[in-house]
Amino acid sequence: MDSVKKIFMAVTVILLVFMVYSCSKDHDAPTFSTYAGAKKATNVVATFDQDAEVFTISWTMDDTEDVTDYYIVVSDSVNFNGTQFSTPVNSMATTYDMAADFITIHPDSTDSFSAVRFFAVQAVYIVDSGDNSQYFVGPRSADSDSALYISQ
Amino acid sequence: MRIIKAAIVTGVVATLLLSTFSIGYAQDEESFIREPVLSKSSALLLSAVYPGLGQMTSGQKVKGVSLFLAETVSLVLAVNSHESYNTKFKVYKKELGLYEKGFDTYDEARAEYLDLKDKNTELDDLNTLRNSALIAAGIVYAYNIFDILFMGPDTGTQADASSRMHLQSTMIDHTPGILFSKSF
């Protein structure tokens, strides 16, 4: 009986060890390191010239490596998840004059209205500068100075 | 996996029926202690097949049923969580592949990354649950074997029992008493 006991104990221990190591996880966690190089524009300031009906937006971009363009984004929501309009700057300048096209930024505009608009800037990165260039639109800036109260 | 599940369910139903029959058979009012039905080696073999069976047939019904239920619950939990893990992992793997292909905007990439991170946490939890259930089943099985080998009642063989003196509690005309017997 002693040898039988030893065999059973050994089998039980082996079974326990097998159970502990048999179910290792198959999944890997996702990484965001690919997009870590994309930076936000800072110090975004928007002003409105009512007479000329022009918005002037200025910003700062500390690291312009691989940056090829900028997008100006206008929204009626501080989280930019409402009505939204964006336009490319088409240059590396850090200031942009945008015509106050009220139909574009406020589809239901009438002759006179008042509203708050939020402005943000996104840097456009060039990912592949070969024959088939690929672009990546970076993160949106988020500055409180970019909010404007418009009244007409 | 479905075959294993069906086998476990069939085993549970069959053993519950067997246990019910065995309990009825053993409850003889003239015997104060329920005497073991099988020898120790047979009880050991039954315990090796499934935890609790050896104990149930060697007179320790409460312990046997408890071990049986503990092992069954652990195995069912392990199998269920394993199946859930595999199903969710297939979806996760597909979405991770699409995520690694890249996005055109930071916002899309960020939203997908956060979604994948939640799914990854869910998979971590399921993996922990299935491993814990499996380890619990292993511990119950190991204790079951240890119990039968070292702590169970000494049933002995028919030949051994017949040559020994027996002192046991019994019921005489519905009154508890002690029975002393010796085989020659």
Side-chain angles (χ1 to χ4, degrees), chain A residues 14 26 44 54 69 78 81 88 90 98 105-106 118 143 147 149:
Chain A
I14 290 166
D26 300 319
V44 177
V54 166
D69 196 1
V78 68
N81 55 5
N90 289 325
M98 187 166 73
I105 63 171
H106 188 76
F118 301 89
D143 288 317
Y149 173 72

Side-chain angles (χ1 to χ4, degrees), chain A residues 12 23 26-28 30-31 137, chain B residues 85 92 99 104 106 120 124 131:
Chain A
T12 306
C23 281
D26 300 319
H27 62 281
D28 295 319
T31 58
V137 181
Chain B
Y85 178 89
Y92 176 82
Y99 172 77
D104 293 333
Y106 181 91
N120 180 69
D124 280 341
N131 282 346

Side-chain angles (χ1 to χ4, degrees), chain B residues 83-169:
Chain B
E83 274 200 25
S84 294
Y85 178 89
N86 282 343
T87 308
K88 287 185 194 285
F89 174 65
K90 277 181 198 161
V91 174
Y92 176 82
K93 196 175 166 185
K94 198 174 168 184
E95 287 183 13
L96 189 66
L98 290 171
Y99 172 77
E100 285 169 353
K101 279 186 183 170
F103 291 86
D104 293 333
T105 69
Y106 181 91
D107 292 338
E108 284 172 359
R110 184 86 186 155
E112 187 61 25
Y113 167 73
L114 291 172
D115 183 50
L116 281 172
K117 214 170 144 192
D118 287 339
K119 288 190 166 98
N120 180 69
T121 305
E122 215 176 319
L123 284 172
D124 280 341
D125 292 340
L126 277 171
N127 188 53
T128 304
L129 180 63
R130 72 173 175 175
N131 282 346
S132 303
L134 217 49
I135 288 167
I139 289 171
V140 168
Y141 185 86
Y143 173 74
N144 153 72
I145 296 293
F146 177 80
D147 180 67
I148 277 291
L149 283 175
F150 300 110
M151 290 161 60
D154 188 12
T155 60
T157 61
Q158 276 300 104
D160 290 339
S162 65
S163 64
R164 274 188 269 152
M165 289 187 287
H166 282 277
L167 187 68
Q168 68 178 75
S169 299

Side-chain angles (χ1 to χ4, degrees), chain A residues 75-151:
Chain A
S75 175
D76 60 356
S77 156
V78 68
N79 293 320
F80 289 84
N81 55 5
T83 306
Q84 193 168 292
F85 163 76
S86 63
T87 183
V89 172
N90 289 325
S91 78
M92 288 297 289
T94 56
T95 184
Y96 182 72
D97 289 337
M98 187 166 73
D101 186 342
F102 293 108
I103 295 173
T104 305
I105 63 171
H106 188 76
D108 300 325
S109 65
T110 57
D111 287 339
S112 63
F113 81 105
S114 61
V116 176
R117 290 292 176 264
F118 301 89
F119 294 80
V121 175
Q122 289 174 288
V124 180
Y125 292 84
I126 186 160
V127 175
D128 181 8
S129 56
D131 291 337
N132 298 318
S133 296
Q134 290 183 1
Y135 300 91
F136 176 74
V137 181
R140 198 172 39 239
S141 62
D143 288 317
S144 57
D145 285 343
S146 64
L148 264 188
Y149 173 72
I150 308 158
S151 171

